[in-house]
């Protein structure tokens, strides 16, 4: 993985989200997401650091209910912290927004503690009735961002963009 | 003071604010005191209501926003007090209705110290404690934002309206109320 390649898809993702109308973002810091957050900040999209991923989901639900287009960034382990807010707020109230989900516990993982949430994150979302969109190739970042914004704004659904490990793994 | 009287004092103090209510007593009391006004009532998502109000406050900085929170709700989402102190929205007041019990689940005791104003002060937030409706009304108007107002009440009467709200209806009414 080179720094230039990593910056490219992350910057493209941030650019497409900002161009598509994202006004503000919330996250709990994550190393892989940091370049996306930095790029958003450089594009004048404020990124709020909250204490827990469930809070980020609540914050975004409120921002959306007030008429805005928010964004949440989290690692897949944080999805485990967010299930009730998604299941009892985002889904029943129809408060859609894009969610950048950085995968751990997948191909290339070396930490045993990450594997369970890595294996179950997407199935949990699907059990909640949430359709996910997988980003594997760096060149697809802008397309997925635009498509996810359509799903969030138009179809009023939570629209997770799943950052698969292939994005950063050498072929 | 009962919870409906506490929330009625907030509505008198901030009649034009956008209100978010946590599940259970806070939602029932806000529905009762506002004649089921177009507020953002939580049917679930316990612990998330202050974060939701922070999102509303961020999108509508020109509006005053009030989060009406139960005490059990507030300890479950205690991290949001830290977030309130970090983000510092200049238009948001968090109000904790303190009766020391989990009312919606049958009145079990809280089990932890109900020290929301003390914690808020330690975090550098404006904070106050009200034991009467008159004090609640005055502090809701006067406290600096972001602020935390702890309202202590002793009449643990159930406000009345159901806390099991129709989520899409709540959302649509609130969207219209929050629109510029």
């Amino acid at each position: 993985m080179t720094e230039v390649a990593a910056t490219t898809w992350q910057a493209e993702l941030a650019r497409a989200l900002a161009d598509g109308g994202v006004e503000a973002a919330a996250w709990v810091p994550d190393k892989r997401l940091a370049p996306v957050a930095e790029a958003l900040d450089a594009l004048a999209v404020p990124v709020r650091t909250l204490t827990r991923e469930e809070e980020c989901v609540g914050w975004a639900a409120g921002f959306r209910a007030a008429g805005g287009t928010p964004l949440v960034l989290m690692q897949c382990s944080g999805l485990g912290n967010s299930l009730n807010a998604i299941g009892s707020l985002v889904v029943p109230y129809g408060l859609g927004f894009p969610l950048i989900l950085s995968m751990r516990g997948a191909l290339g993982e070396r930490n045993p503690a990450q594997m369970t949430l890595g294996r179950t994150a997407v199935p949990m979302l699907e059990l909640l009735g949430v359709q996910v969109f997988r980003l594997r190739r760096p060149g697809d970042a802008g397309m997925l961002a635009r498509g996810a914004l359509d799903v969030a704004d138009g179809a009023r659904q939570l629209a997770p963009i799943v950052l698969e490990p292939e994005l950063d793994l050498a072929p | 003071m009962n919870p409906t009287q506490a929330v009625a004092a907030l509505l008198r103090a901030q009649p034009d604010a956008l209100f978010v209510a946590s599940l259970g007593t806070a939602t029932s009391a806000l529905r009762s005191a506002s004649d089921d006004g177009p507020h953002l009532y939580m049917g679930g998502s316990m612990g998330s209501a202050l974060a939701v109000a922070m999102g509303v406050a961020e999108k509508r900085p020109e509006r005053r926003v009030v989060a009406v929170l139960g005490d059990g709700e507030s300890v479950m989402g205690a991290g949001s007090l830290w977030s309130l102190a970090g983000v510092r929205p200049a238009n948001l007041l968090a109000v904790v209705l303190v009766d020391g019990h989990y009312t919606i689940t049958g009145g079990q005791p809280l089990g932890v110290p109900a020290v929301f104003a003390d914690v808020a002060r330690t975090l550098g937030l404006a904070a106050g404690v009200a034991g009467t409706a008159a004090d609640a009304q005055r502090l809701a108007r006067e406290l600096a934002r972001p602020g935390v107002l702890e309202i202590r009440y002793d009449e643990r009467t159930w406000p009345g309206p159901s806390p099991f709200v129709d989520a899409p209806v709540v959302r649509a009414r609130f969207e219209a109320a929050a629109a510029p």
Side-chain angles (χ1 to χ4, degrees), chain B:
Chain B
M1 182 168 38
N2 64 42
T4 301
Q5 290 165 338
V7 174
L10 302 174
L11 289 161
R12 284 195 299 276
Q14 302 279 279
D16 299 323
L18 295 168
F19 279 74
V20 177
S22 68
L23 82 174
T25 305
T27 277
S28 184
L30 182 57
R31 293 189 74 189
S32 175
S34 69
D35 194 21
D36 204 23
H39 309 299
L40 191 49
Y41 307 104
M42 299 290 106
S45 57
M46 184 165 174
S48 295
L50 178 51
V52 172
M54 286 181 61
V56 173
E58 172 119 27
K59 176 56 190 170
R60 290 276 168 253
E62 77 285 5
R63 299 286 300 270
R64 288 237 164 172
V65 180
V66 178
V68 185
L69 312 167
D71 46 8
E73 157 83 22
S74 296
V75 291
M76 186 176 283
S80 291
L81 290 173
W82 272 255
S83 294
L84 189 66
V87 176
R88 299 199 68 80
N91 56 337
L92 178 55
L93 178 69
V95 179
V96 188
L97 303 177
V98 178
D99 71 353
H101 292 80
Y102 291 94
T103 301
I104 191 74
T105 55
Q108 299 86 353
L110 196 59
V112 298
V115 288
F116 304 99
D118 289 344
V119 169
R121 278 190 206 99
T122 299
L123 290 168
L125 295 161
V129 180
T132 66
D135 279 351
Q137 183 174 342
R138 179 179 58 79
L139 286 167
R141 192 180 293 122
E142 293 176 359
L143 268 182
R145 270 57 167 175
V148 174
L149 171 57
E150 188 179 306
I151 303 181
R152 298 189 159 269
Y153 64 89
D154 47 11
E155 282 180 54
R156 293 174 45 221
T157 49
W158 178 251
S162 173
F164 304 152
V165 293
D166 188 334
V169 171
V170 169
R171 184 207 75 216
R173 293 198 317 158
F174 183 78
E175 282 175 342

Side-chain angles (χ1 to χ4, degrees), chain A residues 119-143:
Chain A
R119 192 165 57 243
T120 54
V122 167
M124 286 193 292
L125 282 167
E126 289 173 344
L127 280 169
L128 288 165
V130 176
Q131 187 175 355
V132 306
F133 308 98
R134 297 174 184 272
L135 179 56
R136 289 197 172 89
R137 292 180 303 192
D140 291 343
M143 176 188 71

